[in-house]
Structure formats: C-alpha cells, structure tokens
Amino acid sequence: MKRVVTYCFLAITFCFSFLPSCMNDIDLLNISSDIQWSGSLAIPIGEANLSMEELVHQLDSQNILVTEGQEILYRQVDSIESGFREIDLREYSQPLSMSIPVSPMGTQTIPANSSFSVTSNGTIDLGLNRSPEEIVDSIQIKSATLTIKVNVANIASLSPGNTRITLEFPPERVRKSDGSPLSLVYVPAGFNQADSIPIQDVAINTAHASGIPVAVKVELKAGNSPVTVRPSSMVNVELKFTQLQFEVAYGKFEPSEIAATTFKLNLDLPSFTWDGNFKFADPRCDLTVKSNIGTYMLLDVAYVKAYSESAPEQAIYASFDGNHFTTEALNDKPGRPGLWVAKQLRQINKEYGAIDQFFDHPTLPDVIEFKYTVRLDEDKINRDPTPNFITPDAAIKVIYKIQIPLYLKPESYYELNDTIKDVGDDIDDALEEASIDNAKLILTVSNGLPIKGDLSIILLDSLNREITSDLDTDYPIDAPAIDAGGYVTQGGVTPQKIEIGLTNSQIEDLKKANHIAYRFRIDSKDDRSFIHFTTSNYFGVKLGMFVRGSVKNTDSNKN
C-alpha cells in the first residue's frame, strides 16, 4: 500500500524531493530564441495519475481484493462439513446363542448313511430401535459378515463334515436385492471354531423390532456307522454379526451431538487496513447449506461473533432482532439416496445481523466465529408421507462467502507515515549552478476519490532531527462532490489549484535537508459522508513551476 500511495501522490512530494532534478532537466541556457528569458520562467514539470484499478492491481498479488463490476471487494470463500448422526449397526448387537436339543422326546438312532434334522427359531438382536432418537424401519445392507460357531454335546461318532446348518430368514423381514428369500448354508470344518459367512445386498425390514428372526435348521448325517442321540444331546449354535455395512437406512433419525458445529473463519484483511480506522459499512456473509440427509431440517444459528484473536473476550455478536440466535428452515430434502439439496440462507449483513458493527471498533477483527446445529423440522416431516432416510456418509456442508466492499462509514481514515531518505545530495547537485530568488509550485489536483486528504512534511537533517523552517508543510486536498451512498457524483470532480511559494531562504532549508518525512491522511469528506471506492475512481495531479533567478554558464562565464 505504501508504494501505491507514494506513487499516487508523487507529484506532491515532488515539490520537495524531486524539484531540483526537474529543474536540472531544463537547460536554461539553450531555450529557444522565441522565448524571452528575463530572469523568470514557467516550467511544466509533469503529472501523475492513478486509477483505482491500478491500485487494486498492485494490491492483488495475494488475491486479497477482487472487482465485481465497479465494486472493489475483499472476498473469502470456503466450506466446512459436519456429520449428522453415526449409525453403527454393531454397537448394540448381541450374539444369538442357541442350544438345540436333537432328540428331546427320547433316545434315537440315526441309521448309517441316513440323515436327521431338527429346526429351532431365534432372533438375532441387532440392537435397533432402542431409542426414540433412532427409529429404523428398514435397512439396505451392502455387505455383512455373520460369524458362526457350532459345537455338539453328548453326540458320539458325529464328524463336523456331517453337520449341516441352514439359516432361513422370513422373506417379509429379510430378502435379497432381487426379492428372493435369504437362506444360508454352513458346514463346519471343525467344532467350536468361529467361521465367517459373507452376506451381500440384502434388505432388512425391522418391523420396529430390535432384531431379525431366524430359523436354524440342524441336519445330522450318520456315516458308515449309526449315530445315537439322546435327550441330553445338543447342537450349540452361536451367531453374531461382526460387520454390517449399510447403504441406506429408512426411518426417523434425530441429529446427534456431532451435528453441532463451531468453526472459526480467519479474516485475512489487506495489511493497509492496519494503518487507520476502516469502518466497513456493508459487510456481507452468504451461507449455503447442502445436505444429503433424507429428512427436513431446521438450522439453528446459536451465534455469529467477531473478535481480535488477541482479545477474544471483546467479541461483538451479530444481532438478529435483538437476539444472538436465529433459525432458518432448509425447506427441502433429497428425493433419493445419493442426491444433495442446497439452500441459500438469508444473507447476514448490516440489516439482518447488523454485522457492520463488527468493524466499528478501532481494532479490526481477525476472526469471525459461527456456531450452529440442526434439528428436525417436525411440521414438514408430518406433512410429507415419503420415507426419511440416512446414509453412512450423511453430512451437512456449509459454504460461506464473506464479502466486504471498500465502502466505509463516516470518520473512517487511512494514514501513511514514511520518509524519503537521502535527498540532500540530489538537492545540492541540482541547485549547484542555479541561483533562484524565488519559485512557485502550482499543482492542479483532480481528486476523483470519495475522500479528502492532507499531506504534511518535515525536513530532517542527517541525524533525523527536524530542520526549523518557515516552509509551509501542510497541504489539504479537497473532496469532490459525494452523494449519500459515498459515491463521487457525475461531474463532481472540480480541479483544485494549490500554489506553493518558495523563497530563497526556504530553498536553502531544502538544501540542508537529508531526508523528508511525510504523513498522508485520507478521511471522509465530513462526519456525515460515506466513502465508497469503485473502479471508476481516480486521482490526478499536474505540476508546474514558476522560477525567478539565474543559472551560471561555466562555459561562457555568463549568468
């Protein structure tokens, strides 16, 4: 920013730091004979111009500022993702242990090379529907692993390979993706050892129950010798789902604590905002909420606040009708799993949220913090008969866009303090052959920026001590005509003429100067005027000089 402003007002500092070199470029001894030299001369020195587009270009090395039409903006876009509810179908599942009597009515003998079967019913508890916050009507299972372990008691001469277990599930509760019943057959390689049965692409209808029923059919086959079974003979079967990966679950699902999110946005405002008081008049925050959760929701914003990271206790809160909190309805839900819906919320700005107050403090905030959570929109859910669903990747994404135009409230200001070093030698060299009685610098300023300005200079010696001089060191720059929105009005730029007279003694003071310190400050036109910078703003200065004196001609020894 310093380089830009210095360039912008180069023509003014030209008066002091570059005046001699401009004179040195004029060959007073070789002026055309058409011009009568009688000890005075008007010299056009040059001009400097700066548009706001050039200013933005110089500040845009870090992509801090952007333009949109004629608007100049600070913009930051990012997103954050949070969960909704984690559903772990194994978390509360329990193993099903069954001791199946083979011959409860008495002792029997299975003839050689013959079979005998018995069926027992049970329920595999998946731990579903334990809470009103998670009601599962049905689940589409992508893959599962059912662990099974079989052993026998009081059955002699029975080999594991002659034991056949068939698991049958009622089709109204469990079925394959093609609609056919699910039946699993297992022959153990050895007794009392756990094996895995893979399952893929099945649908489970819970019927609002905790588990799923299963019929366990045990078939025993005698080999070349008969097998005797008694009332104490048992086949023990243990079943448990050790892996359940679902694609989608249908039912009613309340958001859990993972749906509550706090995130901090680090404001990386341009560094030149540190050198003044930038009361941004129209900051805006656009929030877009995306969801792949198959239900209607409300977004509860607990607060939006801004603060300096060095003083978080001095946070300023957004105000929604006098409250820190507000609620927005997301209004829609995905039509099927795999789709997303998006809702752009009402823009948070100077009217809704009053976030312009974030920038009323002299210390600008560098953090904006949001806290929100979601809850079910019961009214919409009750009015819509279509099923609600959740997927394993259920998520809520919030995309935020912060935009802060270079639009400032009254009494905003920017101040630049800097020093032009080592100008003494240039001044002495330039004036070595010149004898000037007096000079007058004439600046024509065309201020097309919606501000007024003030330039002050101090002459310093080699030890940075101030040189006492009666040189005029304060130069005000008038503001153009500005409307109520802070814009420069059409035809509102009136060139301002500034005349700076220099006596011989003041020029001698200039020759003594080693450095020139300056302060440049821009302010709102008055305590009621806004400042709205646009790409059409500009600043221009034309500099001319009227000199009375003489120049030595060392070749002819003439003055």
Side-chain angles (χ1 to χ4, degrees), residues 93-369:
S93 65
Q94 300 295 321
L96 170 62
S97 297
M98 304 176 68
S99 293
I100 303 172
V102 177
S103 184
M105 304 305 294
T107 301
Q108 299 183 58
T109 298
I110 305 173
N113 299 315
S114 299
S115 298
F116 173 84
S117 65
V118 63
T119 299
S120 182
N121 296 317
T123 298
I124 302 175
D125 189 357
L126 298 178
L128 300 176
N129 298 315
R130 297 167 56 92
S131 166
E133 295 182 352
E134 184 179 296
I135 300 174
V136 181
D137 297 331
S138 63
I139 316 173
Q140 184 70 39
I141 300 296
K142 182 178 182 180
S143 66
T145 300
L146 181 64
T147 299
I148 183 170
K149 185 164 64 175
V150 177
N151 62 62
V152 299
N154 299 321
I155 304 176
S157 304
L158 181 67
S159 68
N162 287 334
T163 305
R164 181 186 178 93
I165 307 296
T166 301
L167 306 177
E168 295 179 341
F169 299 88
E172 70 275 10
R173 298 290 302 278
V174 182
R175 63 183 184 276
K176 296 179 183 178
S177 57
D178 61 4
S180 61
L182 177 66
S183 180
L184 305 173
V185 177
Y186 170 70
V187 177
F191 289 128
N192 207 33
Q193 70 180 38
D195 285 324
S196 297
I197 302 176
I199 303 172
Q200 288 187 330
D201 299 325
V202 297
I204 298 175
N205 176 14
T206 70
H208 295 165
S210 176
I212 53 175
V214 60
V216 180
K217 180 180 179 182
V218 178
E219 183 179 358
L220 306 179
K221 182 179 180 180
N224 295 325
S225 300
V227 175
T228 301
V229 292
R230 299 173 175 81
S232 61
S233 299
M234 297 285 179
V235 175
N236 300 311
V237 179
E238 183 176 299
L239 301 171
K240 183 177 182 180
F241 281 102
T242 54
Q243 184 261 336
L244 273 169
Q245 183 178 355
F246 74 100
E247 283 185 315
V248 59
Y250 293 90
K252 183 177 181 181
F253 309 96
E254 294 277 357
S256 67
E257 65 277 359
I258 65 172
T261 302
T262 301
F263 71 93
K264 297 179 181 180
L265 164 66
N266 293 317
L267 279 180
D268 185 22
L269 293 172
S271 59
F272 65 80
T273 58
W274 306 341
D275 299 323
N277 188 5
F278 283 72
K279 297 182 178 182
F280 292 108
D282 189 23
R284 311 161 198 162
C285 178
D286 292 298
L287 298 176
T288 300
V289 181
K290 299 178 69 176
S291 166
N292 65 349
I293 304 159
T295 193
Y296 295 103
M297 292 180 291
L298 299 170
L299 183 82
D300 289 331
V301 178
Y303 63 74
V304 180
K305 63 181 181 180
Y307 54 87
S308 171
E309 202 163 25
S310 61
E313 71 282 357
Q314 298 178 11
I316 300 172
Y317 287 81
S319 177
F320 304 99
D321 296 326
N323 301 308
H324 291 167
F325 57 87
T326 188
T327 297
E328 292 269 2
L330 301 188
N331 291 337
D332 202 2
K333 70 176 185 179
R336 66 176 187 274
L339 298 182
W340 289 77
V341 293
K343 169 68 182 296
Q344 184 167 337
L345 305 185
R346 183 178 174 183
Q347 186 183 75
I348 302 174
N349 51 34
K350 60 184 178 181
E351 284 89 19
Y352 181 63
I355 61 173
D356 57 314
Q357 63 180 321
F358 288 173
F359 305 95
D360 284 347
H361 195 274
T363 301
L364 290 179
D366 51 22
V367 176
I368 296 181
E369 184 176 309

Side-chain angles (χ1 to χ4, degrees), residues 404-424:
I404 306 177
L406 286 185
Y407 176 29
L408 307 174
K409 292 181 179 179
E411 299 183 346
S412 299
Y413 71 87
Y414 169 76
E415 185 170 293
L416 171 64
N417 293 276
D418 207 345
T419 300
I420 304 172
K421 297 285 189 179
D422 303 319
V423 299

